[in-house]
């Protein structure tokens, strides 16, 4: 653990001169995009940038005007993340983007070795990633961070078109995310209650959500009060509301992004994701306090930049965890620095079936984030019916890297 590293990141973010690139909207952006970006804030320059890749088959071509459209869309999503970080006090920081002199994003464009349909939704990602690895081996200067976003143009056939795009990979794989491009994927339609506008919300919301995963974020939901005030969390179902209805990043998400590689401000010397720390959690205790608040206490052997707690109903499978409610206040005891406590009022988790029925299996995920961005997850499961003021038997305790 190196406390100086944390301090230096925060201090650098505050001290560095701000880039004007995010507010000087490039001239070649469309008038519609300029209008959508009018509220842009100045973002601190970044030490590492997201790799943006455009990949298509040898018998195919990019969707029309893809460089301008995607530059506008990524600039918009960069602002969304940056404004959330600023709102929670992390500074005007977002994921870094490689920018060309004309203001466009520097997109790595790769024409694949195989026909476009040989990279399908089911299983196509591995072939794309293998060819991309070859590209990065030949062009190491283009590998700007460990985070990569890959866009592929929609298939064009009897089933798929610009009006009904599909066919290509569209999901996250670790720190790499895939999303789809199509001819009308254009920021100028954002918020329009038209077929093009609704399609844009679906696919830009999807892009912003998948990007969250690639930048280290798990799914999460807010509390009813937070959702009433701010809308739908992006890492809940915000991919369906983005641009159309209020959509937000939770503070818990921003706490994780604070130590995500592409959010590091220029000059940051942290080497990311190399920790070999062995995390242990012991002496767990789950109680019901005053009949209205779940209290979870535990000891751990290590120190972290942040800890979040997520609570949900079973099952715990991939993509069955959108509803898990997150608590970003997991507090370290002042007298005993190995002891942590998180309090979860039942009114804040009333959306969970376990709370409504006091039956079934529940789970609490603790996500520990180190100063260099490594994440460790630790899950305890319990029976909702067995929770008492004195304590609760815990079962199936598991620990895994990531979250
Ligand atoms: Zn997701």
């Amino acid at each position: 653990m190196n406390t100086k590293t944390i301090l230096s990141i925060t201090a650098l973010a505050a001290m560095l001169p701000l880039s004007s690139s995010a507010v000087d909207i490039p001239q070649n952006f469309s008038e519609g995009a300029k209008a959508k970006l009018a509220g842009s804030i100045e973002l601190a320059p970044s030490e590492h940038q997201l790799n943006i890749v455009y990949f298509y088959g040898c018998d195919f071509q990019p969707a029309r005007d893809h460089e301008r459209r995607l530059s506008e869309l990524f600039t918009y999503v960069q602002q969304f993340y940056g404004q959330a970080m600023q709102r929670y006090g992390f500074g005007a920081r977002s994921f870094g983007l490689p920018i060309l002199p004309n203001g466009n994003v520097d997109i790595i464009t790769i024409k694949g070795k195989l026909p476009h349909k040989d990279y399908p939704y089911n299983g196509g990602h591995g072939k794309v990633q293998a060819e991309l690895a070859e590209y990065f081996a030949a062009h190491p200067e283009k590998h700007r961070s460990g985070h990569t976003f890959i866009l592929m143009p929609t298939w064009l056939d009897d089933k798929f078109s610009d009006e009904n795009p599909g066919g290509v990979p569209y999901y996250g794989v670790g720190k790499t995310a895939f999303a789809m491009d199509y001819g009308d994927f254009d920021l100028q339609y954002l918020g329009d209650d038209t077929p093009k506008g609704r399609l844009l919300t679906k696919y830009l919301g999807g892009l912003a959500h998948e990007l969250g995963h690639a930048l280290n974020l798990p799914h999460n939901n807010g509390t009813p009060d937070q959702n009433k005030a701010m809308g739908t969390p992006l890492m809940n179902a915000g991919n369906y509301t983005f641009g159309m209805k209020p959509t937000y990043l939770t503070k818990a998400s921003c706490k994780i992004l604070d130590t995500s590689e592409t959010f590091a401000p220029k000059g940051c010397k942290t080497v990311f994701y190399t920790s070999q720390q062995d995390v242990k959690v012991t002496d767990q205790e789950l109680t019901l306090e005053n009949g209205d608040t779940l209290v979870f206490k535990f000891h751990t052997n290590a120190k972290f930049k942040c800890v979040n707690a997520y609570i949900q109903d079973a099952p715990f499978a991939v993509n069955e965890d959108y509803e898990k409610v997150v608590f970003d206040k997991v507090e370290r005891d002042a007298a005993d620095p190995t002891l942590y406590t998180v309090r979860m009022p039942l009114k804040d988790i009333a959306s969970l079936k376990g709370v409504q029925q006091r039956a079934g299996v529940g789970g609490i995920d603790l996500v520990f984030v180190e100063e260099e961005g490594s994440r460790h997850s630790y899950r305890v499961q319990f029976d909702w019916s067995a929770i008492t003021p004195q304590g609760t038997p815990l079962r199936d305790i598991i620990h895994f890297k990531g979250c």
Side-chain angles (χ1 to χ4, degrees):
M1 285 301 107
N2 179 353
T3 310
K4 280 181 187 160
T5 311
I6 321 174
L7 293 174
S8 64
I9 292 176
T10 310
L12 278 165
M15 288 160 47
L16 281 165
L18 296 172
S19 159
S20 60
S21 61
V23 285
D24 290 345
I25 298 166
Q27 284 307 310
N28 61 317
F29 279 18
S30 71
E31 292 307 312
K34 287 176 185 166
K36 306 293 181 202
L37 290 164
S40 295
I41 61 170
E42 292 185 339
L43 298 170
S46 57
E47 180 69 14
H48 308 283
Q49 293 80 38
L50 180 66
N51 306 307
I52 309 263
V53 178
Y54 200 91
F55 190 99
Y56 57 100
C58 61
D59 60 345
F60 222 68
Q61 56 187 3
R64 62 177 178 270
D65 215 4
H66 74 290
E67 289 174 347
R68 174 192 59 79
R69 287 185 298 95
L70 293 171
S71 297
E72 294 168 357
L73 292 166
F74 273 100
T75 301
Y76 185 87
V77 175
Q78 185 189 40
Q79 281 288 320
F80 174 84
Y81 276 77
Q83 290 179 25
M85 293 292 282
Q86 185 180 57
R87 192 178 316 124
Y88 293 119
F90 294 104
R93 295 160 51 208
S94 190
F95 56 89
L97 283 173
I99 300 294
L100 295 168
N102 70 354
N104 274 354
V105 174
D106 187 3
I107 298 171
I108 297 167
T109 300
I110 299 178
K111 189 167 191 162
K113 296 174 181 170
L114 304 172
H116 201 51
K117 286 199 171 180
D118 283 2
Y119 307 97
Y121 179 89
N122 287 317
H125 68 276
K127 289 183 263 185
V128 174
Q129 285 181 295
E131 291 190 39
L132 182 57
E134 285 178 29
Y135 175 88
F136 281 140
H139 305 88
E141 76 287 356
K142 293 283 191 181
H143 191 257
R144 297 180 166 102
S145 74
H147 299 268
T148 300
F149 202 101
I150 302 172
L151 288 126
M152 295 177 67
T154 176
W155 290 5
L156 299 171
D157 57 15
D158 292 346
K159 189 173 174 195
F160 298 118
S161 64
D162 280 342
E163 289 72 39
N164 180 37
V168 298
Y170 198 117
Y171 37 74
V173 185
K175 289 180 169 51
T176 297
F178 285 82
M180 185 159 52
D181 188 34
Y182 60 98
D184 291 328
F185 196 30
D186 198 319
L187 187 62
Q188 65 177 303
Y189 303 123
L190 188 69
D192 290 357
D193 192 14
T194 60
K196 283 181 184 174
R198 289 191 289 274
L199 205 61
L200 186 77
T201 279
K202 181 174 173 185
Y203 289 108
L204 184 57
L207 182 155
H209 177 105
E210 293 307 326
L211 176 60
H213 288 313
L215 296 173
N216 300 342
L217 300 183
H219 290 137
N220 69 187
N221 197 3
T223 66
D225 286 348
Q226 290 165 349
N227 291 350
K228 194 174 169 195
M230 292 183 282
T232 305
L234 178 65
M235 300 313 291
N236 177 249
N239 44 333
Y240 296 105
T241 58
F242 191 85
M244 202 67 91
K245 294 178 183 166
T247 306
Y248 73 101
L249 281 167
T250 61
K251 185 174 182 183
S253 289
C254 288
K255 283 171 69 178
I256 294 175
L257 295 175
D258 185 37
T259 55
S260 186
E261 185 183 12
T262 63
F263 284 69
K266 198 153 189 60
C268 172
K269 298 288 179 245
T270 300
V271 179
F272 285 83
Y273 315 134
T274 54
S275 170
Q276 298 296 320
Q277 183 170 226
D278 185 24
V279 177
K280 289 190 174 62
V281 176
T282 56
D283 307 317
Q284 314 87 349
E285 186 185 285
L286 178 64
T287 57
L288 181 65
E289 188 178 86
N290 302 325
D292 62 8
T293 302
L294 284 183
V295 179
F296 187 60
K297 295 186 182 214
F298 59 93
H299 283 79
T300 182
N301 61 324
K303 287 180 199 162
F304 301 95
K305 180 74 189 288
C306 86
V307 187
N308 292 326
Y310 304 74
I311 185 164
Q312 63 178 315
D313 295 309
F316 306 102
V318 172
N319 289 339
E320 300 210 42
D321 61 351
Y322 284 83
E323 87 291 355
K324 62 189 180 190
V325 181
V326 65
F327 292 85
D328 57 72
K329 279 190 189 156
V330 183
E331 290 176 322
R332 206 160 148 205
D333 192 88
D336 177 358
T338 70
L339 172 64
Y340 287 77
T341 302
V342 55
R343 313 180 94 78
M344 297 169 278
L346 296 183
K347 71 174 178 53
D348 287 345
I349 53 175
S351 57
L352 301 181
K353 280 200 187 77
V355 175
Q356 294 160 12
Q357 302 171 357
R358 295 297 172 99
V361 174
I364 297 171
D365 282 5
L366 300 170
V367 174
F368 299 95
V369 187
E370 298 194 43
E371 291 155 10
E372 46 72 275
S374 291
R375 291 153 297 135
H376 306 261
S377 292
Y378 184 92
R379 176 177 298 150
V380 294
Q381 295 182 35
F382 56 87
D383 289 310
W384 285 103
S385 61
I387 295 172
T388 74
Q390 290 75 39
T392 307
L394 300 174
R395 48 187 236 181
D396 300 334
I397 297 171
I398 61 165
H399 171 218
F400 51 97
K401 196 98 190 262
C403 63

